[in-house]
Amino acid sequence: MPKHQATIKEIAQQLGVSISTVSRALQNNPRIGLRTRERVWELAKQLHYRPNPAALVLKKKQTHTIGVVLPFLKEEFFSTAITAIEDALQGYNVVISQSRDSLEREKGALTTFLSSRVDGVIASISAETHHYLHFKELENFGIPVVFFDRVPRNVPAHKIRSNITQAAKEMVDFLAHKGLERIALLNGPPQLEVAEERQRGYLQAMKERSLPILPQLICSSDLSREDTQTKVHYLLSHDPKPQAIITFNDYVSLHAIEKARAEGIIPNQEVYFASFANLPMMEYVHFPPIASVEQFAYTMGQKAAELLLQLIQNPGDTPYQEIWVKTELVVRESGV
C-alpha cells in the first residue's frame, strides 16, 4: 500500500497554527518567527512531507518545463543542439519532440506543450511547415517561442540563425577557385527559408563570377534518401555533367555521393560534392563532401536556450530578437 502523503493542513492542525503560517514557514518567510519555522520544518521532516508539484505550478504559474520540437533527433546537428539546450537549461525539464519533417506532427507536439503549460518552446521547423499559426497560438497564451536554424520565413519571431547566403557564396567561390564552372545546387524543400538562402547565395556568387546559371542544374529534394537519389540521377543525366554539386546538408550529400558511385562516378574527382553542417561523423566516411559549412550547432542551441530564459524571466512585450551565429567553410583534404 502507498504511504500516506502528509499535507500542510495536517501540519497546521498538529501545531495549532494556520495553514498560511505553515506555508510561509516552509518558504522561510521572515514574517514567521524563527521558532515557529523550526517547529514547522521539524514536524514536516518527521511526517516526510513533500510539496505538491501541481500546487506549486498553480501558485507560481510555472512548470519549469521547456518544450523542444525539431525535425529529427537522429541528425547529429540537432542532437548536438539538444545537448547545448540541456546544458543551458539546467533546473528545467526539457521535453523533446520530433516532427520528422511533418507539419501535422509538429502541430501535435505544440498542442501537447500547450496542454502541459510549458514555460517556453524552442523550435526548428519541419520541412512541410508553410504557416506558423500553431506557434503564434503559444505566444497568445504567454508561452515564448525561440526558433533556431530552420526559422520562419518573413514572420517576426525570436530567431537564432546562420548567414547561409554568405556561406553559400563562399562555397561557390571555393569551387570556382578550383576551376569548376558547371556547379549544380541540390537544395532542400523550397518552403524552408534556409533553402531559399542557399539558393540566393548560390545565384549571387554564380552571377558575380560570370559562371553559367543553368536551370537544369538547380533542383530541390524533400531530404529523403529516395528523392535525393532521384534528383542526383537527373543531374548526372545531363551532357555535360555538372562538375560539382552543392547539397542542402551532409546527409543529403552522403545520399548523393552514394548514388553517384552507383552510377560509376568517382566522388571529388569526376564530380565534386560540397555541403552544409560539417558533421563530425564525416571524419569516418570514405567519400565525404570536399567542403562543408560549419554552422556551430552547439552555439545555436545554447543561444536559443539563453534567449528563451531571458524571455521567461522577463515576461512582457519584448521586441523580437534575431541573433546571428557565424559560419565557417571547412575544407576536407580527405575528400579530395
Side-chain angles (χ1 to χ4, degrees), residues 31-177:
R31 291 174 59 186
I32 306 302
L34 178 59
R35 177 57 186 153
T36 300
R37 278 184 277 162
E38 289 176 344
R39 292 175 60 213
V40 168
W41 274 103
E42 183 178 353
L43 182 57
K45 184 176 180 179
Q46 292 174 7
L47 297 177
H48 302 287
Y49 168 77
R50 293 291 182 274
N52 184 333
L56 290 176
V57 167
L58 290 173
K59 183 174 182 179
K60 297 183 178 180
K61 297 182 180 180
Q62 286 189 350
T63 61
H64 277 81
T65 301
I66 302 297
V68 180
V69 59
L70 42 74
F72 287 100
L73 189 54
K74 68 180 181 181
E75 292 193 9
E76 193 169 356
F77 177 89
F78 291 115
S79 63
T80 299
I82 283 295
T83 298
I85 290 169
E86 290 182 328
D87 287 347
L89 292 176
Q90 293 186 34
Y92 283 82
N93 297 315
V94 179
V95 179
I96 304 166
S97 183
Q98 300 178 89
S99 68
R100 301 181 190 175
D101 272 335
S102 162
L103 174 60
E104 289 308 311
R105 289 185 67 92
E106 183 177 84
K107 288 181 177 179
L110 296 191
T111 298
T112 301
F113 292 161
L114 182 57
S115 299
S116 303
R117 290 299 189 270
V118 297
D119 294 339
V121 169
I122 296 174
S124 190
I125 64 176
S126 81
E128 294 182 353
T129 302
H130 56 277
H131 68 82
Y132 313 100
L133 296 178
H134 45 306
F135 287 106
K136 287 299 180 184
E137 184 177 5
L138 290 175
E139 292 187 337
N140 292 338
F141 276 89
I143 299 174
V145 181
V146 175
F147 297 92
F148 76 99
D149 186 47
R150 298 190 190 179
V151 302
R153 179 202 299 267
N154 301 324
V155 173
H158 296 290
K159 304 175 183 179
I160 311 295
R161 60 196 307 181
S162 301
N163 193 338
I164 296 299
T165 298
Q166 180 60 32
K169 291 180 65 175
E170 292 174 2
M171 184 172 289
V172 172
D173 288 343
F174 164 74
L175 295 171
H177 186 71

Side-chain angles (χ1 to χ4, degrees), residues 236 256-267 286-287:
L236 296 177
I257 289 172
E258 179 185 39
K259 181 61 174 176
R261 292 186 67 197
E263 298 199 5
I265 296 203
I266 302 175
H286 189 56
F287 290 103

